[in-house]
Amino acid sequence: MHVDLGNVLDTTPGLTEETLDRLDSRVADAHDRIATGMADDEFGYAALNLPETADPDAIRAATDQFDRLEAVLTVGIGGSALGAATLANALESDVDAYFLDNVDPDAVASLLDRLPLDETVVNVVSKSGTTAETLANFLVVREAMAEAGVDWTDRTLVTTGEEGNLRALADAHDLPVLDVPDGVPGRFSALSTVGLAVPALQGHDIEAILAGGRDGMESLSGSLFETPAYAYGTATYALAERGALTNAVMPYAESLETFAEWFAQLWAESLGKDGLGQTPARALGATDQHSQLQLYRAGPPDKLVSLIRPTERAETEIPETDLDGLAYLGGSSLGDLLDAEFEATEASLAAADVPNLRVEIDRVDERGLGELLYAMEAACVLYGELASVSTFTQPAVEWGKKAARGLLGGGDFPEADAVADKRELRIDGS
């Protein structure tokens, strides 16, 4: 993986090479803290050990138990789904992957109506085994399978913690079970059982995904100038400190569109603490050059644009044409056009004095994805160290969970009482 910081130098806001040199000593200190946390397998830092501690054999043993496999349906939310979705949506397979990560009743019903439930593996994921949205959706899925004459116990894989409702259910019905690793927050779990079960069911090389993670792990050093992940984490932190409070992540590969969703959770939930953080925005190149780029180039000077692309991809040739004004396209490829769009966007932002940086992987395959996911997790941890935030907690999210649970009668939570205090200024239509 490569990170190019050239277009964050001397922009508005921006950095200088001298600034990066000064920050490098802080990066060294932060790396020492990260290395210690990894060595001691501390909460959160343990996620950065996953390329070595994840057990692909255990994942294969659990997933190889299923036959007649046309689709896999993951029932989870947030970090329990987004890592798997990133991998599944980036890699082609004959086994379709679907994700129930919301409780919209219309969307749930529509998906279940069109799934071949007798040839679908249900992958239900919750570390606590008590996540309301996940368990509610799983109950709905289980009933739909029963109504379709499918024995749900033959088609269900559970990924959960050592205790909780899901663990008890798995034990009671002798379901195949994968353990969620200790000390790993959900948003950092893509390279664990949580993220790798789906690609395993789809027939992908999960060992190669972990090998890509090890590539990222082995690149960690005490200098941002030697570590692409730390270069990204340092630059984003320093730019946020100087006013770039929005980070627009713009992959130039449709296969990486879900990666931008995964990144948004990682960045927002990890770094949005104590009035600090950087708001992730999701874009897709070249599509959003025709929409969001207008804002990024000509709007308030409070943005960083992260441009991401593979350097190798399959090619589709553009046919020759004699149409006026289009002859220049003939003989090139769609990949050539996409690369030209990427570099034009990069130059356009630089010309408008907007900081942007380039992240490149060799290709969108198992190894490249493993390295990209690991690098962004390491970048996020480094950013958190530099900003002195509690990277691995999510108290604001927990507040909302308690309020929702209280409203549904799941316990006595004072957070639920706040709902009754909502102010109204209501304007009704005719």
Side-chain angles (χ1 to χ4, degrees):
M1 193 180 91
H2 310 281
V3 172
D4 183 351
L5 302 182
N7 279 353
V8 303
L9 300 175
D10 304 315
T11 54
T12 304
L15 309 176
T16 65
E17 293 188 51
E18 291 76 15
T19 301
L20 292 174
D21 287 336
R22 289 196 302 271
L23 282 168
D24 205 35
S25 63
R26 292 183 60 193
V27 171
D29 291 340
H31 173 69
D32 288 344
R33 173 68 188 98
I34 292 168
T36 298
M38 292 171 64
D40 294 341
D41 225 26
E42 292 181 39
F43 180 78
Y45 300 97
L48 297 181
N49 291 327
L50 284 171
E52 292 186 345
T53 58
D55 184 356
D57 291 336
I59 297 170
R60 293 284 186 205
T63 56
D64 284 349
Q65 298 183 39
F66 299 99
D67 58 7
R68 304 189 333 275
L69 184 55
E70 184 175 324
V72 55
L73 173 62
T74 295
V75 184
I77 196 167
S80 294
L82 281 171
T86 295
L87 293 165
N89 293 340
L91 301 169
E92 293 186 1
S93 172
D94 292 333
V95 177
D96 295 327
Y98 301 91
F99 297 86
L100 277 183
D101 58 354
N102 205 335
V103 288
D104 182 319
D106 291 335
V108 172
S110 174
L111 177 57
L112 292 177
D113 282 346
R114 65 179 188 271
L115 275 179
L117 294 175
D118 60 333
E119 296 181 328
T120 297
V121 169
V122 177
N123 172 42
V124 56
V125 186
S126 170
K127 181 175 184 178
S128 68
T130 62
T131 308
E133 299 92 339
T134 298
L135 293 183
N137 273 337
F138 179 55
L139 292 173
V140 171
V141 171
R142 195 171 69 170
E143 183 177 74
M145 296 181 88
E147 290 176 350
V150 178
D151 185 346
W152 66 271
T153 65
D154 291 337
R155 310 297 299 170
T156 299
L157 168 67
V158 171
T159 305
T160 191
E162 294 181 357
E163 299 177 348
N165 295 331
L166 278 181
R167 176 65 66 169
L169 182 76
D171 291 344
H173 295 278
D174 196 26
L175 305 177
V177 132
L178 288 169
D179 296 327
V180 174
D182 289 334
V184 177
R187 60 191 176 277
F188 286 90
S189 65
L191 299 180
S192 76
T193 51
V194 175
L196 296 178
V198 172
L201 286 162
Q202 290 184 298
H204 296 304
D205 187 348
I206 59 175
E207 288 83 0
I209 296 171
L210 291 171
R214 285 193 294 276
D215 291 340
M217 187 176 184
E218 291 166 3
S219 77
L220 299 183
S221 76
S223 173
L224 72 93
F225 297 108
E226 298 173 0
T227 308
Y230 287 173
Y232 187 84
T234 304
T236 50
Y237 157 75
L239 286 164
E241 289 289 295
R242 288 156 177 78
L245 297 178
T246 296
N247 183 355
V249 176
M250 195 170 186
Y252 275 71
E254 287 207 31
S255 57
L256 293 178
E257 188 170 12
T258 308
F259 162 79
E261 290 188 52
W262 171 87
F263 178 93
Q265 183 196 9
L266 178 75
W267 220 244
E269 196 168 8
S270 300
L271 303 174
K273 317 278 170 64
D274 304 323
L276 301 173
Q278 188 179 53
T279 300
R282 305 197 299 266
L284 179 66
T287 301
D288 288 315
Q289 288 174 215
H290 299 270
S291 55
Q292 297 180 38
L293 186 60
Q294 174 65 37
L295 173 67
Y296 301 155
R297 195 173 190 272
D302 59 355
K303 296 171 187 66
L304 158 70
V305 181
S306 296
L307 300 163
I308 301 170
R309 71 170 174 182
T311 56
E312 300 175 24
R313 57 165 63 90
E315 289 295 359
T316 298
E317 297 300 318
I318 301 173
E320 300 282 355
T321 179
D322 56 3
L323 292 173
D324 290 344
L326 297 181
Y328 74 96
L329 292 173
S332 60
S333 70
L334 292 180
D336 294 334
L337 178 57
L338 193 60
D339 284 339
E341 299 274 16
F342 178 99
E343 291 164 13
T345 298
E346 192 176 49
S348 169
L349 292 165
D353 209 26
V354 176
N356 63 95
L357 49 77
R358 177 190 293 200
V359 177
E360 292 179 321
I361 59 174
D362 291 339
R363 61 193 69 85
V364 180
D365 61 7
E366 287 94 338
R367 192 157 190 150
L369 288 166
E371 185 176 14
L372 179 62
L373 291 168
Y374 186 92
M376 289 303 162
E377 289 181 1
C380 182
V381 175
L382 179 81
Y383 186 129
E385 297 293 334
L386 295 175
S388 298
V389 300
S390 179
T391 308
F392 305 116
T393 62
Q394 53 283 332
V397 174
E398 297 302 324
W399 195 101
K401 288 181 180 179
K402 292 176 182 177
R405 189 167 179 178
L407 290 173
L408 291 170
D412 185 15
F413 296 99
E415 290 86 354
D417 297 336
V419 176
D421 298 331
K422 179 192 176 300
R423 295 180 61 179
E424 284 193 359
L425 179 59
R426 181 167 169 168
I427 296 90
D428 292 323
S430 55

